[in-house]
Short mmCIF file of all heavy atoms in Angstrom, two decimals:
data_model
loop_
_atom_site.label_atom_id
_atom_site.label_comp_id
_atom_site.label_asym_id
_atom_site.label_seq_id
_atom_site.Cartn_x
_atom_site.Cartn_y
_atom_site.Cartn_z
N ASP A 31 112.12 85.80 95.56
CA ASP A 31 111.55 87.01 96.13
C ASP A 31 112.37 87.59 97.28
O ASP A 31 112.10 88.69 97.73
CB ASP A 31 110.14 86.74 96.63
CG ASP A 31 109.19 86.56 95.46
OD1 ASP A 31 109.30 87.31 94.49
OD2 ASP A 31 108.34 85.64 95.52
N HIS A 32 113.33 86.83 97.77
CA HIS A 32 114.06 87.32 98.93
C HIS A 32 115.45 87.80 98.60
O HIS A 32 116.19 88.21 99.49
CB HIS A 32 114.10 86.24 100.00
CG HIS A 32 112.74 85.96 100.55
ND1 HIS A 32 111.98 84.93 100.08
CD2 HIS A 32 111.99 86.61 101.46
CE1 HIS A 32 110.82 84.94 100.70
NE2 HIS A 32 110.79 85.95 101.55
N ARG A 108 117.04 74.97 91.35
CA ARG A 108 116.13 75.72 92.24
C ARG A 108 115.43 76.82 91.47
O ARG A 108 114.27 77.14 91.71
CB ARG A 108 116.91 76.31 93.40
CG ARG A 108 117.47 75.22 94.32
CD ARG A 108 118.34 75.85 95.37
NE ARG A 108 119.18 74.88 96.02
CZ ARG A 108 118.89 74.34 97.22
NH1 ARG A 108 117.80 74.67 97.85
NH2 ARG A 108 119.72 73.48 97.76
N ASP A 146 103.57 55.67 66.37
CA ASP A 146 102.83 54.67 67.13
C ASP A 146 103.60 54.15 68.34
O ASP A 146 103.37 53.04 68.79
CB ASP A 146 102.50 53.46 66.22
CG ASP A 146 101.08 53.57 65.70
OD1 ASP A 146 100.30 54.36 66.29
OD2 ASP A 146 100.76 52.89 64.73
N GLU A 147 104.49 54.97 68.86
CA GLU A 147 105.24 54.51 70.02
C GLU A 147 104.51 54.80 71.33
O GLU A 147 104.78 54.19 72.34
CB GLU A 147 106.62 55.17 70.07
CG GLU A 147 107.56 54.64 69.00
CD GLU A 147 108.89 55.37 69.04
OE1 GLU A 147 108.89 56.59 68.71
OE2 GLU A 147 109.90 54.76 69.40
N LEU A 149 100.62 55.93 73.23
CA LEU A 149 99.18 56.04 73.09
C LEU A 149 98.85 57.50 72.81
O LEU A 149 99.45 58.40 73.38
CB LEU A 149 98.50 55.58 74.38
CG LEU A 149 98.87 54.13 74.74
CD1 LEU A 149 98.39 53.81 76.16
CD2 LEU A 149 98.24 53.18 73.74
N PRO A 152 96.51 63.32 74.82
CA PRO A 152 96.90 64.68 74.45
C PRO A 152 98.39 64.86 74.74
O PRO A 152 98.81 64.72 75.89
CB PRO A 152 96.10 65.57 75.40
CG PRO A 152 95.05 64.71 75.97
CD PRO A 152 95.44 63.29 75.79
N GLU A 154 100.30 67.31 75.16
CA GLU A 154 100.73 68.28 76.16
C GLU A 154 100.60 67.72 77.57
O GLU A 154 101.45 67.96 78.43
CB GLU A 154 99.94 69.58 76.06
CG GLU A 154 100.66 70.68 76.84
CD GLU A 154 100.01 72.03 76.69
OE1 GLU A 154 98.78 72.12 76.90
OE2 GLU A 154 100.73 73.00 76.37
N ARG A 155 99.54 66.94 77.78
CA ARG A 155 99.39 66.31 79.09
C ARG A 155 100.59 65.41 79.38
O ARG A 155 101.13 65.38 80.49
CB ARG A 155 98.11 65.48 79.15
CG ARG A 155 96.81 66.28 79.26
CD ARG A 155 96.75 67.00 80.58
NE ARG A 155 95.47 67.64 80.86
CZ ARG A 155 95.13 68.86 80.49
NH1 ARG A 155 95.95 69.60 79.75
NH2 ARG A 155 93.98 69.38 80.85
N SER A 162 107.04 66.90 85.12
CA SER A 162 106.81 66.99 86.57
C SER A 162 107.46 65.84 87.30
O SER A 162 108.00 66.00 88.39
CB SER A 162 105.31 67.10 86.87
OG SER A 162 104.69 65.85 86.83
N ARG A 165 111.20 66.48 87.42
CA ARG A 165 111.50 67.54 88.35
C ARG A 165 111.44 67.07 89.80
O ARG A 165 112.35 67.32 90.59
CB ARG A 165 110.51 68.70 88.18
CG ARG A 165 110.83 69.86 89.09
CD ARG A 165 109.80 70.95 88.96
NE ARG A 165 108.54 70.51 89.50
CZ ARG A 165 107.37 70.95 89.09
NH1 ARG A 165 107.29 71.82 88.08
NH2 ARG A 165 106.25 70.52 89.64
N ASP A 166 110.34 66.37 90.15
CA ASP A 166 110.18 66.04 91.56
C ASP A 166 111.11 64.92 92.01
O ASP A 166 111.51 64.88 93.17
CB ASP A 166 108.72 65.75 91.89
CG ASP A 166 107.95 67.04 92.06
OD1 ASP A 166 108.45 68.09 91.62
OD2 ASP A 166 106.85 67.01 92.64
N GLN A 170 113.71 65.40 94.96
CA GLN A 170 113.84 64.43 96.04
C GLN A 170 115.31 64.03 96.22
O GLN A 170 115.82 63.98 97.34
CB GLN A 170 112.98 63.20 95.70
CG GLN A 170 113.04 62.09 96.74
CD GLN A 170 112.52 62.55 98.09
OE1 GLN A 170 111.86 63.58 98.19
NE2 GLN A 170 112.85 61.80 99.14
N GLU A 174 117.97 64.27 99.70
CA GLU A 174 118.46 63.05 100.37
C GLU A 174 119.94 63.17 100.69
O GLU A 174 120.73 63.67 99.89
CB GLU A 174 118.24 61.85 99.44
CG GLU A 174 116.79 61.42 99.36
CD GLU A 174 116.56 60.40 98.24
OE1 GLU A 174 117.43 60.29 97.35
OE2 GLU A 174 115.52 59.74 98.29
N ARG A 178 120.61 57.75 96.08
CA ARG A 178 120.55 56.50 95.30
C ARG A 178 121.44 56.68 94.08
O ARG A 178 121.64 57.80 93.61
CB ARG A 178 119.13 56.27 94.82
CG ARG A 178 118.18 55.70 95.87
CD ARG A 178 116.75 55.76 95.38
NE ARG A 178 116.64 55.39 93.98
CZ ARG A 178 115.91 54.36 93.54
NH1 ARG A 178 115.26 53.59 94.39
NH2 ARG A 178 115.81 54.10 92.25
N ASP A 183 117.61 55.92 89.35
CA ASP A 183 116.51 56.88 89.21
C ASP A 183 116.18 57.14 87.75
O ASP A 183 115.01 57.31 87.39
CB ASP A 183 116.85 58.19 89.94
CG ASP A 183 116.43 58.13 91.41
OD1 ASP A 183 115.50 57.35 91.72
OD2 ASP A 183 117.03 58.85 92.23
N ILE A 191 107.45 56.31 83.15
CA ILE A 191 106.81 57.00 82.03
C ILE A 191 106.31 55.99 81.00
O ILE A 191 105.17 56.08 80.53
CB ILE A 191 107.82 57.93 81.32
CG1 ILE A 191 108.40 58.97 82.27
CG2 ILE A 191 107.20 58.58 80.09
CD1 ILE A 191 107.41 59.97 82.76
N CYS A 192 107.15 55.04 80.65
CA CYS A 192 106.84 54.21 79.50
C CYS A 192 105.85 53.09 79.78
O CYS A 192 105.01 52.77 78.96
CB CYS A 192 108.13 53.63 78.90
SG CYS A 192 109.14 54.94 78.15
N ARG A 193 105.96 52.50 80.93
CA ARG A 193 104.99 51.42 81.15
C ARG A 193 104.26 51.49 82.48
O ARG A 193 103.63 50.51 82.90
CB ARG A 193 105.67 50.07 80.98
CG ARG A 193 106.80 49.79 81.95
CD ARG A 193 107.19 48.32 81.90
NE ARG A 193 108.44 48.09 82.61
CZ ARG A 193 108.63 48.32 83.94
NH1 ARG A 193 107.64 48.77 84.69
NH2 ARG A 193 109.81 48.08 84.47
N GLY A 194 104.31 52.62 83.12
CA GLY A 194 103.55 52.76 84.36
C GLY A 194 104.14 51.92 85.46
O GLY A 194 105.26 51.42 85.35
N ILE A 195 103.36 51.72 86.49
CA ILE A 195 103.91 51.02 87.64
C ILE A 195 103.14 49.76 87.99
O ILE A 195 103.55 48.98 88.85
CB ILE A 195 103.94 51.94 88.87
CG1 ILE A 195 102.53 52.45 89.17
CG2 ILE A 195 104.93 53.08 88.65
CD1 ILE A 195 102.46 53.20 90.48
N ALA A 196 102.02 49.59 87.33
CA ALA A 196 101.23 48.40 87.68
C ALA A 196 101.92 47.14 87.18
O ALA A 196 102.62 47.16 86.18
CB ALA A 196 99.84 48.51 87.07
N THR A 197 101.73 46.08 87.88
CA THR A 197 102.26 44.80 87.40
C THR A 197 101.45 44.42 86.18
O THR A 197 100.26 44.69 86.10
CB THR A 197 102.10 43.70 88.46
OG1 THR A 197 100.78 43.76 88.98
CG2 THR A 197 103.09 43.91 89.59
N ASP B 31 104.78 85.33 99.43
CA ASP B 31 105.76 86.35 99.81
C ASP B 31 105.25 87.78 99.71
O ASP B 31 105.90 88.70 100.17
CB ASP B 31 107.00 86.22 98.92
CG ASP B 31 107.78 84.98 99.28
OD1 ASP B 31 107.89 84.68 100.48
OD2 ASP B 31 108.27 84.31 98.35
N ARG B 120 112.38 78.75 104.16
CA ARG B 120 111.03 78.27 104.44
C ARG B 120 110.88 76.80 104.11
O ARG B 120 109.87 76.20 104.35
CB ARG B 120 110.02 79.08 103.65
CG ARG B 120 110.09 80.57 103.94
CD ARG B 120 109.03 81.32 103.19
NE ARG B 120 109.06 81.01 101.76
CZ ARG B 120 110.02 81.37 100.93
NH1 ARG B 120 111.06 82.05 101.37
NH2 ARG B 120 109.95 81.05 99.65
N ARG B 121 111.95 76.26 103.53
CA ARG B 121 111.82 74.90 103.03
C ARG B 121 111.28 73.92 104.05
O ARG B 121 110.28 73.27 103.84
CB ARG B 121 113.18 74.42 102.52
CG ARG B 121 113.13 72.96 102.05
CD ARG B 121 114.30 72.63 101.16
NE ARG B 121 115.53 73.23 101.67
CZ ARG B 121 116.68 73.13 101.04
NH1 ARG B 121 116.75 72.53 99.88
NH2 ARG B 121 117.75 73.65 101.55
N ASP B 146 101.11 42.74 95.48
CA ASP B 146 101.62 42.47 94.13
C ASP B 146 100.91 43.25 93.04
O ASP B 146 100.86 42.84 91.89
CB ASP B 146 101.48 40.98 93.79
CG ASP B 146 102.79 40.25 94.01
OD1 ASP B 146 103.84 40.95 94.08
OD2 ASP B 146 102.77 39.02 94.08
N GLU B 147 100.34 44.40 93.43
CA GLU B 147 99.65 45.18 92.42
C GLU B 147 100.59 46.11 91.67
O GLU B 147 100.28 46.54 90.57
CB GLU B 147 98.52 46.01 93.04
CG GLU B 147 97.35 45.16 93.49
CD GLU B 147 96.31 46.02 94.17
OE1 GLU B 147 96.60 46.54 95.28
OE2 GLU B 147 95.24 46.20 93.59
N LEU B 149 104.85 47.12 90.74
CA LEU B 149 106.23 46.67 90.73
C LEU B 149 106.93 47.23 91.95
O LEU B 149 106.68 48.37 92.34
CB LEU B 149 106.91 47.14 89.46
CG LEU B 149 106.20 46.67 88.18
CD1 LEU B 149 106.74 47.40 86.97
CD2 LEU B 149 106.37 45.16 88.04
N PRO B 152 111.03 51.56 94.63
CA PRO B 152 110.99 52.22 95.93
C PRO B 152 109.68 52.98 96.06
O PRO B 152 109.39 53.86 95.24
CB PRO B 152 112.16 53.20 95.88
CG PRO B 152 112.98 52.81 94.71
CD PRO B 152 112.18 51.92 93.84
N GLU B 154 108.60 55.32 97.84
CA GLU B 154 108.59 56.77 97.96
C GLU B 154 108.73 57.44 96.59
O GLU B 154 108.11 58.46 96.31
CB GLU B 154 109.70 57.26 98.89
CG GLU B 154 109.45 58.71 99.25
CD GLU B 154 110.43 59.24 100.28
OE1 GLU B 154 111.64 59.12 100.06
OE2 GLU B 154 109.95 59.77 101.31
N ARG B 155 109.56 56.82 95.74
CA ARG B 155 109.69 57.37 94.40
C ARG B 155 108.33 57.39 93.68
O ARG B 155 107.97 58.35 93.03
CB ARG B 155 110.67 56.52 93.56
CG ARG B 155 112.14 56.71 93.93
CD ARG B 155 112.58 58.10 93.56
NE ARG B 155 114.02 58.32 93.69
CZ ARG B 155 114.63 58.70 94.80
NH1 ARG B 155 113.95 58.86 95.92
NH2 ARG B 155 115.92 58.94 94.80
N SER B 162 103.38 64.41 91.94
CA SER B 162 103.83 65.48 91.05
C SER B 162 102.98 65.54 89.78
O SER B 162 102.66 66.61 89.28
CB SER B 162 105.31 65.33 90.73
OG SER B 162 105.52 64.40 89.70
N ARG B 165 99.65 67.11 90.66
CA ARG B 165 99.79 68.55 90.88
C ARG B 165 99.91 69.31 89.56
O ARG B 165 99.22 70.29 89.34
CB ARG B 165 101.03 68.84 91.71
CG ARG B 165 101.15 70.32 92.00
CD ARG B 165 102.41 70.60 92.76
NE ARG B 165 103.57 70.42 91.91
CZ ARG B 165 104.77 70.06 92.37
NH1 ARG B 165 104.95 69.82 93.65
NH2 ARG B 165 105.78 69.94 91.54
N ASP B 166 100.76 68.82 88.68
CA ASP B 166 101.00 69.61 87.49
C ASP B 166 99.86 69.53 86.49
O ASP B 166 99.61 70.50 85.76
CB ASP B 166 102.34 69.24 86.85
CG ASP B 166 103.50 69.93 87.57
OD1 ASP B 166 103.28 70.41 88.70
OD2 ASP B 166 104.60 69.99 87.01
N GLN B 170 97.94 72.78 85.28
CA GLN B 170 97.67 73.03 83.87
C GLN B 170 96.18 73.34 83.65
O GLN B 170 95.82 74.27 82.94
CB GLN B 170 98.09 71.80 83.05
CG GLN B 170 97.83 71.91 81.56
CD GLN B 170 98.64 73.03 80.92
OE1 GLN B 170 99.57 73.54 81.52
NE2 GLN B 170 98.25 73.42 79.72
N GLU B 174 94.17 76.83 81.86
CA GLU B 174 93.46 76.72 80.58
C GLU B 174 92.13 77.45 80.64
O GLU B 174 91.42 77.39 81.64
CB GLU B 174 93.21 75.24 80.26
CG GLU B 174 94.47 74.50 79.84
CD GLU B 174 94.26 73.00 79.77
OE1 GLU B 174 93.29 72.51 80.40
OE2 GLU B 174 95.05 72.33 79.11
N ARG B 178 89.35 70.94 79.80
CA ARG B 178 88.93 69.60 79.38
C ARG B 178 87.99 69.04 80.43
O ARG B 178 88.08 69.41 81.60
CB ARG B 178 90.16 68.68 79.33
CG ARG B 178 91.02 68.82 78.09
CD ARG B 178 92.34 68.11 78.27
NE ARG B 178 92.20 66.82 78.90
CZ ARG B 178 92.52 65.64 78.32
NH1 ARG B 178 93.00 65.62 77.10
NH2 ARG B 178 92.40 64.51 78.98
N ASP B 183 90.77 63.96 82.44
CA ASP B 183 92.07 64.14 83.09
C ASP B 183 92.27 63.11 84.20
O ASP B 183 93.37 62.62 84.41
CB ASP B 183 92.23 65.57 83.63
CG ASP B 183 92.78 66.51 82.54
OD1 ASP B 183 93.48 66.02 81.63
OD2 ASP B 183 92.53 67.72 82.61
N ILE B 191 99.75 56.66 85.41
CA ILE B 191 100.42 56.06 86.56
C ILE B 191 100.47 54.54 86.43
O ILE B 191 101.51 53.92 86.64
CB ILE B 191 99.64 56.39 87.87
CG1 ILE B 191 99.52 57.89 88.09
CG2 ILE B 191 100.26 55.68 89.07
CD1 ILE B 191 100.80 58.59 88.36
N CYS B 192 99.35 53.96 86.08
CA CYS B 192 99.25 52.51 86.17
C CYS B 192 99.91 51.77 85.02
O CYS B 192 100.51 50.72 85.21
CB CYS B 192 97.79 52.08 86.31
SG CYS B 192 97.09 52.59 87.89
N ARG B 193 99.77 52.30 83.84
CA ARG B 193 100.39 51.52 82.76
C ARG B 193 101.27 52.34 81.81
O ARG B 193 101.64 51.88 80.72
CB ARG B 193 99.34 50.76 81.97
CG ARG B 193 98.31 51.64 81.26
CD ARG B 193 97.50 50.80 80.27
NE ARG B 193 96.35 51.54 79.82
CZ ARG B 193 96.40 52.68 79.13
NH1 ARG B 193 97.56 53.21 78.84
NH2 ARG B 193 95.29 53.29 78.76
N GLY B 194 101.64 53.50 82.26
CA GLY B 194 102.56 54.29 81.44
C GLY B 194 101.91 54.75 80.16
O GLY B 194 100.67 54.67 80.01
N ILE B 195 102.72 55.17 79.22
CA ILE B 195 102.14 55.74 78.02
C ILE B 195 102.58 55.02 76.76
O ILE B 195 102.10 55.30 75.68
CB ILE B 195 102.53 57.21 77.89
CG1 ILE B 195 104.06 57.35 77.88
CG2 ILE B 195 101.91 58.03 79.01
CD1 ILE B 195 104.52 58.75 77.58
N ALA B 196 103.51 54.08 76.92
CA ALA B 196 103.99 53.40 75.71
C ALA B 196 102.93 52.43 75.20
O ALA B 196 102.13 51.88 75.97
CB ALA B 196 105.27 52.64 76.03
N THR B 197 102.89 52.24 73.93
CA THR B 197 101.99 51.22 73.38
C THR B 197 102.53 49.86 73.80
O THR B 197 103.73 49.66 73.90
CB THR B 197 101.99 51.29 71.83
OG1 THR B 197 103.36 51.38 71.39
CG2 THR B 197 101.23 52.49 71.34
#
Side-chain angles (χ1 to χ4, degrees):
Chain A
D31 289 318
H32 293 96
R108 294 174 196 261
D146 261 343
E147 288 177 292
L149 302 169
E154 195 175 51
R155 286 294 188 272
S162 81
R165 183 184 69 208
D166 280 17
Q170 179 62 15
E174 286 169 342
R178 281 169 41 120
D183 273 334
I191 301 293
C192 292
R193 61 168 169 62
I195 57 172
T197 47
Chain B
D31 289 321
R120 302 182 308 291
R121 177 161 41 183
D146 261 342
E147 288 177 292
L149 303 168
E154 194 174 54
R155 286 293 189 273
S162 83
R165 183 183 70 208
D166 279 16
Q170 179 63 15
E174 287 169 340
R178 280 168 43 117
D183 273 334
I191 301 294
C192 292
R193 62 168 167 63
I195 57 173
T197 46

